[in-house]
Amino acid sequence: MESSKKADDKRKGFHCLSAWDGSDRQLVDAVKESLRDPSSFEHDETRISPVNAEGLHFVIMTFRAKNGFGGTNVGSATGMVRQSDCRLMNWQLVSS
């Protein structure tokens, strides 16, 4: 029964997310590198889709970070993660 749950979790993409905070570390790192103040990054939530026919998971992450004026904005980023090794294949910031 346990292996069935593991297989289901892998199909859903949960194996690619951090057990600690539910984030995709590669997406977090990519977004941080693009920020004006990377140290202000705060992960909010990451959602991942079940694997598609190409062996990829769609992932969307919301986060908070300081803007150029010192205020905090909520942002989001999307990407595609390969199921076999959880590698982030591509990503983009989503404008609000």
mmCIF file of all heavy atoms in Angstrom, residues 36-37 40 42 64-74:
data_model
loop_
_atom_site.group_PDB
_atom_site.id
_atom_site.type_symbol
_atom_site.label_atom_id
_atom_site.label_comp_id
_atom_site.label_asym_id
_atom_site.label_seq_id
_atom_site.Cartn_x
_atom_site.Cartn_y
_atom_site.Cartn_z
ATOM 1 N N ARG A 36 15.565 42.495 -7.049
ATOM 2 C CA ARG A 36 16.388 43.637 -6.674
ATOM 3 C C ARG A 36 17.020 43.404 -5.294
ATOM 4 O O ARG A 36 18.156 43.759 -5.056
ATOM 5 C CB ARG A 36 15.492 44.878 -6.642
ATOM 6 C CG ARG A 36 16.192 46.179 -6.545
ATOM 7 C CD ARG A 36 15.185 47.313 -6.536
ATOM 8 N NE ARG A 36 14.401 47.379 -7.759
ATOM 9 C CZ ARG A 36 14.623 48.227 -8.745
ATOM 10 N NH1 ARG A 36 15.620 49.063 -8.660
ATOM 11 N NH2 ARG A 36 13.860 48.240 -9.815
ATOM 12 N N ASP A 37 16.242 42.793 -4.374
ATOM 13 C CA ASP A 37 16.707 42.499 -3.022
ATOM 14 C C ASP A 37 16.411 41.026 -2.704
ATOM 15 O O ASP A 37 15.393 40.714 -2.087
ATOM 16 C CB ASP A 37 16.023 43.421 -2.012
ATOM 17 C CG ASP A 37 16.466 43.181 -0.584
ATOM 18 O OD1 ASP A 37 17.338 42.316 -0.348
ATOM 19 O OD2 ASP A 37 15.934 43.853 0.317
ATOM 20 N N SER A 40 15.066 39.697 0.632
ATOM 21 C CA SER A 40 13.698 40.015 1.073
ATOM 22 C C SER A 40 12.684 38.947 0.636
ATOM 23 O O SER A 40 11.517 39.011 1.002
ATOM 24 C CB SER A 40 13.263 41.375 0.515
ATOM 25 O OG SER A 40 13.042 41.306 -0.890
ATOM 26 N N GLU A 42 10.289 35.926 0.417
ATOM 27 C CA GLU A 42 9.561 35.059 1.339
ATOM 28 C C GLU A 42 8.632 34.168 0.527
ATOM 29 O O GLU A 42 7.750 34.664 -0.171
ATOM 30 C CB GLU A 42 8.715 35.873 2.318
ATOM 31 C CG GLU A 42 9.500 36.710 3.292
ATOM 32 C CD GLU A 42 8.589 37.538 4.195
ATOM 33 O OE1 GLU A 42 7.447 37.117 4.459
ATOM 34 O OE2 GLU A 42 9.035 38.613 4.615
ATOM 35 N N ARG A 64 6.575 36.836 -1.641
ATOM 36 C CA ARG A 64 6.624 38.257 -1.292
ATOM 37 C C ARG A 64 8.081 38.713 -1.383
ATOM 38 O O ARG A 64 8.984 37.954 -1.060
ATOM 39 C CB ARG A 64 6.120 38.479 0.131
ATOM 40 C CG ARG A 64 4.694 38.052 0.329
ATOM 41 C CD ARG A 64 4.255 38.274 1.783
ATOM 42 N NE ARG A 64 3.018 37.586 2.093
ATOM 43 C CZ ARG A 64 1.832 37.835 1.601
ATOM 44 N NH1 ARG A 64 1.686 38.802 0.738
ATOM 45 N NH2 ARG A 64 0.767 37.152 1.947
ATOM 46 N N ALA A 65 8.268 39.956 -1.809
ATOM 47 C CA ALA A 65 9.613 40.528 -1.888
ATOM 48 C C ALA A 65 9.503 42.045 -1.920
ATOM 49 O O ALA A 65 8.479 42.589 -2.333
ATOM 50 C CB ALA A 65 10.343 40.026 -3.131
ATOM 51 N N LYS A 66 10.564 42.707 -1.485
ATOM 52 C CA LYS A 66 10.583 44.174 -1.507
ATOM 53 C C LYS A 66 10.723 44.681 -2.929
ATOM 54 O O LYS A 66 11.455 44.116 -3.735
ATOM 55 C CB LYS A 66 11.737 44.702 -0.669
ATOM 56 C CG LYS A 66 11.495 44.586 0.815
ATOM 57 C CD LYS A 66 12.590 45.268 1.589
ATOM 58 C CE LYS A 66 12.284 45.145 3.074
ATOM 59 N NZ LYS A 66 13.382 45.682 3.893
ATOM 60 N N ASN A 67 10.035 45.780 -3.193
ATOM 61 C CA ASN A 67 10.169 46.429 -4.494
ATOM 62 C C ASN A 67 11.224 47.537 -4.398
ATOM 63 O O ASN A 67 11.841 47.725 -3.344
ATOM 64 C CB ASN A 67 8.815 46.962 -4.983
ATOM 65 C CG ASN A 67 8.225 48.004 -4.055
ATOM 66 O OD1 ASN A 67 8.935 48.723 -3.346
ATOM 67 N ND2 ASN A 67 6.908 48.108 -4.050
ATOM 68 N N GLY A 68 11.431 48.274 -5.449
ATOM 69 C CA GLY A 68 12.437 49.328 -5.487
ATOM 70 C C GLY A 68 12.166 50.490 -4.559
ATOM 71 O O GLY A 68 13.064 51.286 -4.277
ATOM 72 N N PHE A 69 10.940 50.603 -4.053
ATOM 73 C CA PHE A 69 10.576 51.695 -3.159
ATOM 74 C C PHE A 69 10.572 51.262 -1.697
ATOM 75 O O PHE A 69 10.190 52.022 -0.824
ATOM 76 C CB PHE A 69 9.199 52.245 -3.541
ATOM 77 C CG PHE A 69 9.147 52.728 -4.957
ATOM 78 C CD1 PHE A 69 8.499 51.996 -5.930
ATOM 79 C CD2 PHE A 69 9.770 53.916 -5.327
ATOM 80 C CE1 PHE A 69 8.460 52.434 -7.246
ATOM 81 C CE2 PHE A 69 9.731 54.358 -6.633
ATOM 82 C CZ PHE A 69 9.080 53.623 -7.604
ATOM 83 N N GLY A 70 10.971 50.016 -1.426
ATOM 84 C CA GLY A 70 11.021 49.523 -0.056
ATOM 85 C C GLY A 70 9.743 48.870 0.423
ATOM 86 O O GLY A 70 9.700 48.318 1.519
ATOM 87 N N GLY A 71 8.695 48.937 -0.381
ATOM 88 C CA GLY A 71 7.446 48.270 -0.029
ATOM 89 C C GLY A 71 7.516 46.796 -0.390
ATOM 90 O O GLY A 71 8.409 46.360 -1.112
ATOM 91 N N THR A 72 6.572 46.032 0.124
ATOM 92 C CA THR A 72 6.541 44.599 -0.171
ATOM 93 C C THR A 72 5.455 44.308 -1.189
ATOM 94 O O THR A 72 4.325 44.748 -1.032
ATOM 95 C CB THR A 72 6.292 43.785 1.114
ATOM 96 O OG1 THR A 72 7.336 44.078 2.038
ATOM 97 C CG2 THR A 72 6.278 42.299 0.830
ATOM 98 N N ASN A 73 5.817 43.575 -2.219
ATOM 99 C CA ASN A 73 4.864 43.160 -3.253
ATOM 100 C C ASN A 73 4.667 41.649 -3.196
ATOM 101 O O ASN A 73 5.564 40.920 -2.796
ATOM 102 C CB ASN A 73 5.383 43.512 -4.647
ATOM 103 C CG ASN A 73 5.312 44.985 -4.948
ATOM 104 O OD1 ASN A 73 4.796 45.776 -4.177
ATOM 105 N ND2 ASN A 73 5.860 45.364 -6.088
ATOM 106 N N VAL A 74 3.503 41.212 -3.648
ATOM 107 C CA VAL A 74 3.240 39.792 -3.841
ATOM 108 C C VAL A 74 3.502 39.502 -5.305
ATOM 109 O O VAL A 74 3.040 40.233 -6.182
ATOM 110 C CB VAL A 74 1.786 39.424 -3.475
ATOM 111 C CG1 VAL A 74 1.498 37.963 -3.793
ATOM 112 C CG2 VAL A 74 1.519 39.719 -2.006
#
